[in-house]
Amino acid sequence: MHAITSQMTTSTLLLLLLTTLTLLSTTFAAVQPPSSAATICQYTPYPSFCRSTIPINNSTANVHDYGRFSVRKSISAALKFSALIDKYLRRSSILTTGAIRALQDCQYLAGVNVDFLQNTFQTVDKTQTALSTMKSEDIQTMLSAILTNTQTCIDGIQATASSWSSKNGVLAPLANDNKLYSVSLSLFNRGWGVKSKTMRSSRSSSPHKKLKNGRLPLKMSEQTKAIFETVGRRNLLQTDDGGDQVVISDIVVVSQDGSGNFSNIMDAVNIAPNKTKAEDGYFLIYVTAGVYEEYVNIPKNKYYLMIIGDGINQTVITGNRSVVDGWTTFNSATFIVTAPNFVAVNITIRNTAGAVKHQAVALRNGADLSTFYSCSFEGYQDTLYTHSLRQFYRECDIYGTVDFIFGNAAVVFQNCNLYPRQPMSGQFNAITAQGRTDPGQNTGTSIQNCNIRAAEDLGSTKTYLGRPWKEYSRTVYIKTFMDTLIDSAGWRAWSGDFALNTSYYAEFDNSGPGSDTSGRVTWPGFHIINATDAVNFTASSFVMGDEFLPQTGVPYNGGL
């Protein structure tokens, strides 16, 4: 499998390495012809910044040399910023709770950025030739996430700006770091990225590896549970054709009545093994029916973890954190996952803070190659935070009001039900608020073969398909049913003419009374696309679904 992983070295050793690396460390023959800084930098979003930051004075330097240099410089910047945040947090006695929580978010995100940059450098330092499609996508995904992480830190600091006077000491270096990371992404895409702008079509347009009866066999008998508790490695799920099987390495049961191994979910998560491999199979946590009032956090080292419940509205995980009550949006979530190759099935995740508490996240997902199947996410504003990396949702229910699917992952929703519900007085509903900040990011929200219908409590509130949260916001609706609740304009501006030229909003072959495009917005960023364009946003193309979804056992359509 190709999940993004990392191997950390100590900061001291890394800094020593960075200072001793020569500018042109490779001995490979140049694949790209030599270029000047002016020529290379003109292809980045910040040409003058690029020229002043990457002053390579060598007539034999090419785009790979510039790319390597920018990644090394990015690592140094990320380490310095991490140290800066640590310094601020040591002065926490003079900061408000809101400022401390925003800085703690930044501290975590800075560490993730260092991990991703180290992984990137290990790849680009070894080759000047084209990478495999999957490896190229992996690196572009990490570099895209670095920009997302940095922007998340900026948003959190700005949200608490009125509560501390020294905020510019954090925001100023972040602004430069963001430009540097953008340059690194642009140079990588030019030097090592997939050359064709048209993504490959899927292997099949029919459901791939669909399980028996189209569903996972989730009703576990006592005998089945006993088998998995006593025998370490078994094939739990099997496809119709007897081919791919979902391999389970171990199973634990969470039950509130004391009959399982644990009575709460986090105790089960904590004993899961760290950094397992694909061939080891999934560590399965079976959570029996019940309402679990706890905050679940699947950390980044718990690879290949699978959580299965007894069904939507049967196994329920619930919390009520919100921005109004002092949490950052980033850490208001009831359920957080950052571990690669995570799978969740048959659970409901709620945030019950209510519309009056504004931003209140049910699920925050920053897990690469993660999958949610037959799950429900319930909240109001900001219900589902598809924060970063590559994600897939199948046959899920999503309830919310303002921007209730938001973030900057590369994400595909397939065969899902989207339920706008009644917001606060004076508010409107926006289903999506996509947060792409850079044209080089491989991110966006794809909603395919879904259903958009009013929740039971929705009155006559105006409801829109989305609005541009960030400058290069990208959202596509494909073959989706849209009921009468969708406003004829379809999309709504964020503020004035912000991002109306640079965003990418598209519709293809949708149905229902709300899908009529004759009254849609006339922004330059809005498009009615054809099948050739739409296939770029399918599971196989947009999130590399053929590489990780078969192992999960979850059914999916690779193409249109």
Side-chain angles (χ1 to χ4, degrees):
M1 293 299 293
H2 305 270
I4 294 174
T5 60
S6 60
Q7 294 180 341
M8 283 289 291
T9 60
T10 64
S11 298
T12 303
L13 182 61
L14 181 60
L15 285 172
L16 180 62
L17 173 64
L18 291 173
T19 57
T20 56
L21 280 169
T22 57
L23 190 58
L24 300 176
S25 59
T26 182
T27 58
F28 289 103
V31 175
Q32 293 281 338
S35 301
S36 67
T39 301
I40 291 293
C41 289
Q42 69 176 323
Y43 299 107
T44 71
Y46 304 101
S48 60
F49 176 85
C50 174
R51 289 192 296 271
S52 64
T53 306
I54 311 177
I56 296 180
N57 297 313
N58 189 311
S59 60
T60 65
N62 61 28
V63 66
H64 298 109
D65 301 316
Y66 286 94
R68 273 187 287 273
F69 186 88
S70 69
V71 172
R72 288 200 296 269
K73 198 170 182 70
S74 294
I75 295 173
S76 179
L79 287 167
K80 288 177 182 177
F81 181 73
S82 181
L84 176 66
I85 295 300
D86 290 344
K87 184 180 74 171
Y88 272 94
L89 284 172
R90 286 195 293 270
R91 304 173 186 170
S92 60
S93 60
I94 63 173
L95 297 173
T96 65
T97 299
I100 292 170
R101 285 175 172 166
L103 285 169
Q104 287 171 337
D105 291 348
C106 291
Q107 184 183 47
Y108 166 77
L109 293 164
V112 174
N113 282 356
V114 172
D115 285 358
F116 286 173
L117 285 164
Q118 288 177 343
N119 261 345
T120 297
F121 185 74
Q122 290 172 6
T123 297
V124 301
D125 194 42
K126 293 176 181 177
T127 180
Q128 294 196 156
T129 59
L131 300 172
S132 68
T133 299
M134 191 66 200
K135 177 56 71 174
S136 177
E137 289 282 346
D138 283 351
I139 300 300
Q140 188 185 12
T141 296
M142 285 191 283
L143 292 173
S144 296
I146 288 165
L147 283 165
T148 302
N149 293 341
T150 308
Q151 187 62 50
T152 302
C153 176
I154 291 172
D155 290 344
I157 296 298
Q158 289 177 335
T160 61
S162 61
S163 63
W164 55 309
S165 59
S166 55
K167 60 184 181 298
N168 287 333
V170 176
L171 292 176
L174 267 182
N176 276 335
D177 289 353
N178 233 6
K179 290 181 180 179
L180 180 58
Y181 301 151
S182 177
V183 167
S184 294
L185 173 60
S186 180
L187 293 176
F188 172 81
N189 287 344
R190 187 160 183 83
W192 291 272
V194 177
K195 301 305 178 186
S196 173
K197 291 185 178 180
T198 301
M199 296 181 178
R200 67 200 189 290
S201 59
S202 75
R203 297 176 183 174
S204 171
S205 60
S206 60
H208 184 83
K209 301 295 185 185
K210 193 168 184 178
L211 299 176
K212 292 178 180 178
N213 301 319
R215 307 291 290 183
L216 297 174
L218 299 179
K219 294 296 184 182
M220 296 185 183
S221 66
E222 290 300 319
Q223 180 181 9
T224 302
K225 286 188 284 185
I227 290 173
F228 284 110
E229 289 167 9
T230 56
V231 180
R233 185 184 179 92
R234 295 285 185 185
N235 293 324
L236 176 64
L237 312 171
Q238 186 170 344
T239 55
D240 285 340
D241 58 10
D244 293 343
Q245 295 174 326
V246 179
V247 178
I248 303 299
S249 62
D250 201 357
I251 182 172
V252 294
V253 178
V254 178
S255 180
Q256 291 179 325
D257 64 8
S259 62
N261 305 97
F262 302 98
S263 59
N264 65 72
I265 298 166
M266 277 310 299
D267 284 348
V269 171
N270 291 334
I271 64 100
N274 297 330
K275 296 186 177 181
T276 56
K277 297 178 180 179
E279 55 266 29
D280 297 329
Y282 291 96
F283 182 87
L284 173 60
I285 300 174
Y286 170 47
V287 184
T288 62
V291 178
Y292 295 80
E293 296 181 3
E294 62 175 302
Y295 294 93
V296 177
N297 190 336
I298 314 296
K300 62 184 180 180
N301 60 340
K302 301 294 183 181
Y303 302 173
Y304 296 98
L305 187 69
M306 178 182 286
I307 295 182
I308 294 179
D310 272 331
I312 290 175
N313 294 329
Q314 298 300 309
T315 297
V316 179
I317 304 169
T318 184
N320 62 1
R321 289 175 178 170
S322 69
V323 167
V324 169
D325 287 337
W327 298 92
T328 61
T329 301
F330 187 71
N331 260 330
S332 68
T334 300
F335 194 111
I336 296 169
V337 57
T338 55
N341 295 93
F342 174 79
V343 180
V345 185
N346 275 8
I347 58 175
T348 290
I349 300 172
R350 289 178 182 155
N351 189 313
T352 61
V356 296
K357 294 299 180 74
H358 295 279
Q359 297 96 328
V361 176
L363 169 69
R364 189 191 91 214
N365 186 356
D368 196 35
L369 308 180
S370 55
T371 306
F372 284 80
Y373 176 42
S374 189
C375 292
S376 180
F377 311 100
E378 301 177 11
Y380 288 84
Q381 183 171 348
D382 291 0
T383 301
L384 177 52
Y385 196 172
T386 56
H387 181 261
S388 55
L389 304 170
R390 292 165 290 194
Q391 308 176 17
F392 180 75
Y393 298 77
R394 172 85 179 196
E395 295 176 33
C396 292
D397 299 336
I398 308 158
Y399 297 81
T401 57
V402 181
D403 307 334
F404 68 91
I405 299 172
F406 75 112
N408 195 25
V411 55
V412 173
F413 294 91
Q414 198 171 92
N415 295 43
C416 294
N417 298 306
L418 313 182
Y419 293 112
R421 62 199 308 185
Q422 187 63 30
M424 291 174 61
S425 176
Q427 289 184 325
F428 59 87
N429 285 335
I431 295 173
T432 64
Q434 206 283 326
R436 187 165 170 254
T437 61
D438 190 284
Q441 290 177 306
N442 61 350
T443 55
T445 298
S446 175
I447 296 175
Q448 179 188 11
N449 199 33
C450 294
N451 294 293
I452 304 173
R453 292 187 170 91
E456 291 183 359
D457 65 344
L458 181 66
S460 58
T461 299
K462 284 185 176 293
T463 298
Y464 300 89
L465 298 174
R467 58 182 186 146
W469 181 28
K470 302 296 181 185
E471 188 173 2
Y472 293 93
S473 180
R474 181 161 64 175
T475 301
V476 178
Y477 284 84
I478 299 170
K479 292 181 176 292
T480 287
F481 175 83
M482 302 176 181
D483 214 339
T484 54
L485 73 162
I486 298 301
D487 189 86
S488 60
W491 307 83
R492 181 163 176 138
W494 184 271
S495 178
D497 62 357
F498 171 73
L500 303 188
N501 295 330
T502 52
S503 58
Y504 183 88
Y505 288 151
E507 298 181 47
F508 170 71
D509 198 21
N510 298 305
S511 62
S515 67
D516 182 0
T517 58
S518 62
R520 289 296 195 251
V521 295
T522 57
W523 309 338
F526 174 70
H527 308 273
I528 305 297
I529 58 175
N530 58 26
T532 302
D533 294 326
V535 76
N536 293 333
F537 299 97
T538 56
S540 293
S541 293
F542 199 49
V543 295
M544 308 295 286
D546 295 333
E547 303 294 335
F548 73 100
L549 288 173
Q551 182 178 0
T552 69
V554 171
Y556 74 101
N557 289 327
L560 296 175

